[in-house]
Amino acid sequence: MNNNEYSIRSIDGKYYLYCGDAQVLTPEEAPICTASEELAKLLLRDAEEYGADTENVLSILSYHSLYCDLLHQEEDEEGENIEMFNNLIHIDYFWAFYEPRTIRAAALSQYLDVLPKHVNDLPLHQNAAYVNLMAATGSIILPHKLVCMLLSETSRFSIENYDELVLALESYGQASGAAEDIDVDWTFDSIKKMVKTFITYYTLESL
């Protein structure tokens, strides 16, 4: 086997990601593994395309790597995550995406009242999805808006038809200055892949 060739190995009912003969590990040195064959295939696909980059928001590996790390962390007993989310909302570029700029105070107040606790209480893999996209874009509001716009039955967008949304994101990021301050290549193809990867991980039914 090529030393740089990725593979999935089934061990004791779980699927582990390998590079050559070495397990691929998270930044906290947890093995990247899953009980889901579907997710294992996605991990292998993206590892072959992007490598073992656990910070690349275009790769589902970045989402699952964070999930594997969170599994081994202590619970947030003192509300540290909620405090972090609250602080981030105040400087979030994306609060006005698809919202009138004249209602900033009301919009931020609503997000502060609801969003931090909502994200903190999500199932762990969905929490990881939010936090991973937040880390890449500096926004906890953007993941929330993507979930609402792409998974709501009343939205005109869907995961099968969201090019208009991607175009709006590309334009908004450039106009607001967000595109210059975030760790994502802010072009149509990159944004579309980012959104698809986020929603794919968020909606997984088994891990």
Side-chain angles (χ1 to χ4, degrees):
M1 176 183 289
N2 186 306
N3 286 337
N4 295 320
E5 184 177 347
Y6 291 97
S7 64
I8 294 291
R9 298 186 186 182
S10 178
I11 303 172
D12 296 331
K14 287 190 175 182
Y15 301 94
Y16 291 81
L17 181 63
Y18 275 75
C19 181
D21 289 326
Q23 278 190 355
V24 179
L25 303 177
T26 71
E28 300 297 325
E29 299 189 344
I32 293 179
C33 64
T34 174
S36 166
E37 185 176 8
E38 174 193 4
L39 178 54
K41 291 177 180 177
L42 295 175
L43 291 169
L44 179 59
R45 179 202 67 188
D46 281 5
E48 290 174 339
E49 181 171 357
Y50 300 107
D53 184 353
T54 59
E55 296 183 358
N56 186 344
V57 76
L58 305 186
S59 171
I60 207 162
L61 181 61
S62 68
Y63 290 88
H64 195 60
S65 172
L66 178 58
Y67 169 81
C68 292
D69 277 342
L70 291 176
L71 276 176
H72 297 90
Q73 286 185 2
E74 295 182 2
E75 293 185 5
D76 173 37
E77 296 180 355
E78 299 181 0
E80 293 180 1
N81 285 344
I82 290 180
E83 182 179 358
M84 175 183 67
F85 297 153
N86 279 333
N87 292 336
L88 187 58
I89 286 172
H90 285 290
I91 58 171
D92 199 306
Y93 274 110
F94 288 92
W95 73 269
F97 180 60
Y98 271 101
E99 289 189 61
R101 291 183 176 273
T102 55
I103 62 165
R104 183 177 189 274
L108 291 186
S109 177
Q110 183 179 28
Y111 286 125
L112 286 166
D113 286 344
V114 177
L115 192 54
K117 187 176 188 308
H118 168 71
V119 175
N120 204 54
D121 292 345
L122 284 170
L124 189 60
H125 80 284
Q126 293 182 343
N127 177 277
Y130 264 80
V131 172
N132 196 55
L133 189 57
M134 179 193 74
T137 62
S139 173
I140 196 62
I141 294 176
L142 178 58
H144 173 70
K145 291 191 173 187
L146 292 177
V147 168
C148 292
M149 290 178 174
L150 293 174
L151 301 180
S152 170
E153 294 181 357
T154 60
S155 175
R156 73 175 187 270
F157 303 114
S158 71
I159 200 58
E160 290 79 28
N161 181 21
Y162 65 106
D163 282 5
E164 181 186 341
L165 175 61
V166 175
L167 284 169
L169 270 175
E170 183 180 19
S171 176
Y172 181 89
Q174 294 168 348
S176 67
E180 298 177 4
D181 290 344
I182 60 181
D183 297 330
V184 180
D185 181 23
W186 208 252
T187 59
F188 179 89
D189 289 343
S190 178
I191 297 168
K192 187 170 184 178
K193 175 64 176 175
M194 175 190 75
V195 173
K196 176 71 172 177
T197 305
F198 166 72
I199 292 295
T200 297
Y201 195 78
Y202 185 88
T203 56
L204 286 173
E205 295 184 356
S206 62
L207 286 93

